[in-house]
Amino acid sequence: MKIFNILILLALFCSTSFGQSPAPKIKILLLGTFHFNQSLDSDSRLHSHLFTDQRQKEVEDLVNKLVAFKPDKIFLEFTQKDQVFYDSIYTDYLHGKEPARRNTKANEYFQLGMKTAKKLRLKKVTGVNYQPEELSDSLYKPKNDVDRAVQNLYKVLGSNNDSSRTNDKFYDLPFPYKLPKLDSVLQNSTLSQFLLYLNSPLKLQRDDYTNWNYLYSMGSGNDMSFTDYVGTFWYGANVRNFNNILRQADYGKDRCYLLIYGSSHIPFLKFLFSMHPYFDVVNLTDVLK
């Protein structure tokens, strides 16, 4: 009888919940990138040849695809403290002046974010990146008890030389799929094609596995210090990035957002936005195809 009652309740829940009209959602496009200006260095593993006529045509093609998405706001991977600097760069660009510094001009903030924003006549681009490195600054003053605890964790982990590992044979297993070298892919691709590769599930999975798997093996028993490090200073930082976007949301007015960020950040940010009832994560392939 109890099972029958539970089934009746579930049926009523489904009929009332799924029969409702879905709430409007803000579409968000998560574009994972490499850092364009770093590819200019002679010792870089990536050589984008960004300022050749061909690459600039590819940038224009990519920008036009992003413009067609019509984002109301564009979010980029610089910190809020650098907002004034990038506001000045964007203001100059709106008046026809490109950045004088080659490194700034090559950055994806300018090449993708600002070029897209200008075509859409947006007033600004917005930095939402959180950098936990400030916690190690001797001048940094914690804002509250929670912040003080996080700062202490950061300092303790930074001085921890514990080399004990658990189940290292499993953690040391190599990534099971062989992927081509990034520069080889880049040299044989347009920028749009290359960015689609950077955002492919297998590539993102490999990055996450190789970046953090070793740290998960550190410690034994209840010692999860290095796991806490990953949780706080990688996933935790991305939660902060996510929240910086939520703080800018104008629900009821905004329809679409564009986030341009380092590709390794994308999987967790995609998870956070996909779990939010007022966001709809757009398939990147649909935009860049």
Side-chain angles (χ1 to χ4, degrees), residues 120-184:
L120 290 167
R121 299 181 180 179
L122 300 183
K123 293 181 179 180
K124 65 184 297 184
V125 293
T126 304
V128 293
N129 192 45
Y130 173 85
Q131 289 186 326
E133 288 78 11
E134 65 185 1
L135 297 172
S136 63
D137 191 332
S138 60
L139 300 178
Y140 179 74
K141 297 185 181 300
K143 296 174 283 298
N144 49 53
D145 289 343
V146 173
D147 199 31
R148 187 173 294 106
V150 171
Q151 184 189 41
N152 290 336
L153 172 63
Y154 185 85
K155 290 180 177 179
V156 170
L157 287 171
S159 61
N160 191 344
N161 294 314
D162 180 16
S163 59
S164 65
R165 301 179 68 202
T166 298
N167 200 14
D168 53 297
K169 289 184 179 180
F170 175 73
Y171 287 107
D172 289 343
L173 288 173
F175 188 70
Y177 305 102
K178 185 176 182 180
L179 299 182
K181 291 184 178 180
L182 279 182
D183 194 58
S184 175

Side-chain angles (χ1 to χ4, degrees), residues 4 13 34 74 165 179 184 216 224 231:
F4 177 77
F13 171 78
F34 64 103
I74 297 177
R165 301 179 68 202
L179 299 182
S184 175
Y216 291 146
M224 292 284 184

